[in-house]
Amino acid sequence: MAKVAFLGLGVMGGPMARHLAAKGHDVTVYNRTKAKADAWVKAHGGKAAATPREAAEGQEIVFACVGNDDDLRQVTTGPDGAFAAMGKGTVFVDHTTASAEVARELSAAAEKGGFGFVDAPVSGGQAGAENGVLTVMCGGDPETFARVEPVIGSYARACRLLGPVGAGQLAKMMNQICIAGLVQGLSEAVHFGKQAGLDIEAVLDVISKGAAGSWQMENRGKTMNEGKFDFGFAVDWMRKDLSIVLAEARRNKAKLPVTALVDQFYAEVQSMGGGRWDTSSLIARLEK
């Protein structure tokens, strides 16, 4: 069992921290809205800290799952950031979906402080976090990763080191590229079927057993057909992720025409008032 801190108790971080506590780890939490941290402690035990620095004091591992690069810098190297309290031999694990650039920047700062850094974005959405079955893509030093992997296992069904710092974030970008294309394809298929007068649920049940099958079809095909878009990962967050993807593609010269187009389709969904709808809402722009 380890002494850990968790920074950020949103729809992902809150459940992840809960699984750590349930597995017997000594958990201290921090959230920008203190009331949320206090409520988490009331429900799950542990301690709440007033600042990231206070949360990190005396911990073996500090986890974070916040919104974006700037939020991450705020809780690490900003005023009262966690890095100021981390000692030699400790490890910072970042579950934020952020840029590979910020991962390398913070890893360099951690190295100067004598502690480890692992970038470890996750896939599986809110349901994966709630059920403790996330997939975690990691970048970092093998020895450092080996120290944190068993603890990450508290809420993950798969956790793999994919290369040096930054590799985790780059892998997550690949994940989001795949999702963008899959959801757009599924949206067009459902829209086409409805226009053709087919029984959408019956068709999806059949084709999901063949080469067209995917997690998105199994989990979002029916709700997409019903026009229900309240199932986790929001369009606003997907656009944030795709902006990171497209910025990285400009740097590494990757050609992402479909991803760039789907990003603009999500912008249309935002303009329709769907920023907080889940990513399957791409179909809404086809039916307006």
Side-chain angles (χ1 to χ4, degrees):
M1 297 300 103
K3 287 192 65 178
V4 305
F6 207 104
L7 315 178
L9 299 174
V11 296
M12 301 295 289
M16 292 159 79
R18 170 171 56 82
H19 284 293
L20 288 168
K23 292 293 170 65
H25 298 292
D26 182 354
V27 183
T28 298
V29 296
Y30 163 81
N31 194 74
R32 186 162 48 189
T33 305
K34 187 176 182 298
K36 185 175 286 189
D38 291 338
W40 189 95
V41 170
K42 185 175 181 180
H44 308 298
K47 300 178 289 293
T51 66
R53 179 173 184 164
E54 182 182 316
E57 189 72 48
Q59 310 297 346
E60 298 169 68
I61 307 171
V62 179
F63 296 92
C65 189
V66 294
N68 54 39
D69 287 19
D70 289 339
D71 294 333
L72 185 56
R73 289 186 179 100
Q74 183 69 26
V75 300
T76 54
T77 58
D80 288 320
F83 279 18
M86 295 185 67
K88 294 188 183 301
T90 61
V91 183
F92 189 94
V93 178
D94 176 36
H95 289 307
T96 308
T97 295
S99 68
E101 183 180 17
V102 78
R104 298 181 189 112
E105 171 192 320
L106 295 180
S107 176
E111 186 175 0
K112 287 182 181 178
F115 56 92
F117 182 93
V118 176
D119 62 300
V122 302
S123 181
Q126 185 175 350
E130 292 284 356
N131 295 318
V133 291
L134 292 169
T135 296
V136 188
M137 298 150 273
C138 298
D141 172 79
E143 183 178 342
T144 303
F145 171 76
R147 290 168 54 201
V148 299
E149 183 185 13
V151 185
I152 293 174
S154 300
Y155 45 78
R157 66 177 172 185
C159 178
R160 184 167 178 176
L161 182 66
L162 298 168
V165 167
Q169 296 297 350
L170 293 170
K172 179 61 183 286
M173 293 177 208
M174 288 180 62
N175 185 82
Q176 301 307 74
I177 292 167
C178 291
I179 289 173
L182 283 168
V183 176
Q184 178 61 21
L186 181 58
S187 297
E188 292 184 13
V190 171
H191 174 64
F192 174 88
K194 290 168 82 170
Q195 292 295 107
L198 294 174
D199 181 334
I200 302 302
E201 286 194 34
V203 175
L204 290 176
D205 184 61
V206 172
I207 67 174
S208 67
K209 308 300 191 296
S214 68
W215 185 97
Q216 296 292 337
M217 186 177 289
E218 289 280 357
N219 290 274
R220 293 291 175 266
K222 180 179 178 180
T223 55
M224 185 183 286
N225 180 46
E226 295 171 346
K228 296 177 180 177
F229 309 124
D230 188 25
F231 297 93
F233 195 65
V235 168
D236 287 343
W237 290 111
M238 185 59 155
R239 287 218 71 207
K240 183 268 291 185
D241 289 2
L242 292 181
S243 72
I244 294 171
V245 169
L246 294 170
E248 185 65 33
R250 287 190 291 272
R251 282 190 285 270
N252 70 17
K253 309 302 182 186
K255 299 176 178 66
L256 305 179
V258 173
T259 304
L261 186 60
V262 176
D263 178 57
Q264 291 308 301
F265 291 163
Y266 276 124
E268 290 183 36
V269 175
Q270 287 177 315
S271 71
M272 294 167 59
R276 302 307 300 171
W277 295 346
D278 73 62
T279 52
S280 70
S281 59
L282 275 176
I283 193 173
R285 58 172 292 278
L286 298 175
E287 299 185 335
K288 64 181 180 179

